[in-house]
Amino acid sequence: MKRKLLFIFCLITLNAIAQNFSGRVVYELTVIPKAKNLNTDSIIQLNRGKISEYLITDNYYKSTSFQNDKELYSYTYDNISKRMYDNYADKGYITYRDSRKANFEYYGSEIFRDSTITVNGLECFMVKYDSDYGKSTTYYSDKIRVNYETFRDHQVGNWYNKLKEVDGCISLKTITEFETHYEIREAIEITPLNLKPSDFDLNTKKIIVASPYALDKMVEMEPLDQHQIKLYRKLVQKGVEKLPPEENYTSYITFIVFKDGHIDYTDTLHKSENGLDQLGIDIFKQCNFRFEPGVINGVKVSSLVYLPIKFGQ
């Protein structure tokens, strides 16, 4: 009797997955270099770790990256607002993008139903893609699919069109070729879950601002006066003197320009050992730059800004 009940339970679970998947998929990243001297650790770091957790249900998904079991970054999609929210663990703010604004140009795809492999115990068919991002091969299982219509208008990553083309199947393995290496992202755990909209709530302790990519009109720096120009050139020259001859360096200052024009959360994109990133912050603060806020739908909004400060030619 127990075996019979267990068999029925398994059938119900598999049937539920096949009809409309809601749950968690854990992926592992593997980097295969084309040259022996390639630093694969740095590539994994750029990808924010080897392990990522993907939660998905109708209208929502969330991808979270981990390094040594520590959350580094996540992005969450909400089909109601059509936004994608980027959340870095070490930042005091969350930025949002408009999922309706495509970020790559896709040239085409080709489905190979007869080319199959097994991923996490599931038979998967192959699809080849070509885009500005490069060439990739992705494997899908008909047993792990979502309602693609709940992701309509999601153009970032060509997401809606790719889902629709494979009848809502989600990726279980992707191989992407780059000039120096291959990146393989493969599902190592698939767990059905009854997810709710509240499972995708954002961290309410952080402020939420627009990404530069969400703006209709970008943030603009107000014209500098003669004192600011003279001070800027003087401080930049100090940085140039720290560099070897004919060497250049660009420090990227990050900060929030709020819709009323005030500035906060000043930081640098990188932390170099030459001290020029800290000097970049000093230049930014001492020169007292002013900015006109960015605009979405004719309304000023608070947004993240990246400002390059160049040392050298």
Side-chain angles (χ1 to χ4, degrees):
M1 182 65 180
K2 288 183 178 179
R3 289 184 177 180
K4 184 176 181 181
L5 289 174
L6 179 61
F7 176 72
I8 293 173
F9 174 77
C10 290
L11 285 178
I12 293 173
T13 302
L14 289 173
N15 188 50
I17 293 176
Q19 289 180 353
N20 191 17
F21 180 76
S22 173
R24 177 176 64 240
V25 182
V26 178
Y27 295 92
E28 183 175 31
L29 172 67
T30 302
V31 177
I32 300 178
K34 293 182 179 179
K36 292 182 179 180
N37 60 348
L38 183 69
N39 186 348
T40 58
D41 288 340
S42 64
I43 295 173
I44 290 172
Q45 187 175 3
L46 286 173
N47 279 275
R48 308 181 185 99
K50 289 178 65 69
I51 301 297
S52 58
E53 177 190 75
Y54 194 66
L55 301 177
I56 187 166
T57 192
D58 288 355
N59 296 300
Y60 299 91
Y61 67 69
K62 179 180 180 179
S63 178
T64 306
S65 300
F66 297 89
Q67 181 69 43
N68 299 324
D69 296 324
K70 181 180 179 181
E71 181 177 329
L72 297 181
Y73 163 79
S74 69
Y75 65 93
T76 303
Y77 171 73
D78 172 7
N79 190 48
I80 308 304
S81 65
K82 308 295 183 183
R83 288 178 176 177
M84 299 175 67
Y85 296 91
D86 295 286
N87 183 7
Y88 291 87
D90 62 344
K91 301 298 182 185
Y93 52 82
I94 297 171
T95 60
Y96 62 83
R97 295 172 279 157
D98 188 337
S99 68
R100 295 166 294 189
K101 296 181 178 180
N103 56 340
F104 291 109
E105 182 175 352
Y106 280 79
Y107 305 128
S109 61
E110 190 173 1
I111 299 175
F112 299 87
R113 280 279 177 180
D114 294 332
S115 296
T116 62
I117 64 170
T118 299
V119 179
N120 204 253
L122 297 170
E123 184 179 86
C124 299
F125 63 91
M126 180 176 72
V127 181
K128 287 185 174 290
Y129 297 100
D130 188 12
S131 71
D132 280 344
Y133 189 67
K135 295 182 183 296
S136 63
T137 301
T138 299
Y139 294 91
Y140 301 92
S141 169
D142 288 313
K143 292 184 178 180
I144 308 293
R145 59 156 55 100
V146 296
N147 180 2
Y148 60 82
E149 285 300 333
T150 66
F151 298 97
R152 180 175 287 277
D153 299 326
H154 190 323
Q155 296 302 314
V156 170
N158 201 34
W159 176 244
Y160 171 73
N161 293 327
K162 290 171 72 174
L163 274 181
K164 185 177 181 180
E165 183 179 54
V166 293
D167 197 24
C169 296
I170 63 175
S171 166
L172 295 187
K173 181 176 182 177
T174 296
I175 305 170
T176 306
E177 181 178 5
F178 297 92
E179 184 177 343
T180 59
H181 65 284
Y182 295 90
E183 292 180 10
I184 303 173
R185 196 175 301 272
E186 183 169 355
I188 58 174
E189 180 183 329
I190 303 171
T191 308
L193 296 170
N194 183 23
L195 297 173
K196 306 177 294 297
S198 59
D199 293 316
F200 301 87
D201 286 346
L202 301 173
N203 186 338
T204 56
K205 295 181 179 180
K206 294 187 176 186
I207 64 169
I208 300 176
V209 299
S211 161
Y213 309 107
L215 300 175
D216 297 329
K217 181 182 179 183
M218 302 297 289
V219 172
E220 294 182 357
M221 181 186 291
E222 295 182 2
L224 304 181
D225 59 31
Q226 289 301 312
H227 171 72
Q228 289 173 304
I229 294 173
K230 184 177 179 179
L231 179 59
Y232 177 80
R233 289 175 176 172
K234 178 182 177 180
L235 294 174
V236 166
Q237 184 56 37
K238 285 186 177 181
V240 173
E241 292 170 358
K242 295 182 179 181
L243 290 170
E246 299 183 2
E247 185 172 315
N248 303 318
Y249 184 79
T250 301
S251 174
Y252 289 91
I253 312 301
T254 63
F255 51 96
I256 304 297
V257 174
F258 288 84
K259 58 185 178 183
D260 63 1
H262 87 273
I263 297 169
D264 203 348
Y265 295 92
T266 305
D267 200 355
T268 56
L269 188 60
H270 305 292
K271 300 290 188 296
S272 64
E273 296 180 357
N274 58 21
L276 294 183
D277 285 306
Q278 182 56 51
L279 179 57
I281 289 182
D282 294 340
I283 292 171
F284 179 79
K285 291 181 177 179
Q286 290 186 48
C287 289
N288 197 27
F289 297 136
R290 293 286 181 264
F291 298 87
E292 184 67 22
V295 174
I296 297 178
N297 294 329
V299 178
K300 292 181 179 181
V301 298
S302 303
S303 67
L304 176 65
V305 180
Y306 297 90
L307 178 70
I309 295 182
K310 298 181 179 180
F311 300 96
Q313 299 298 324

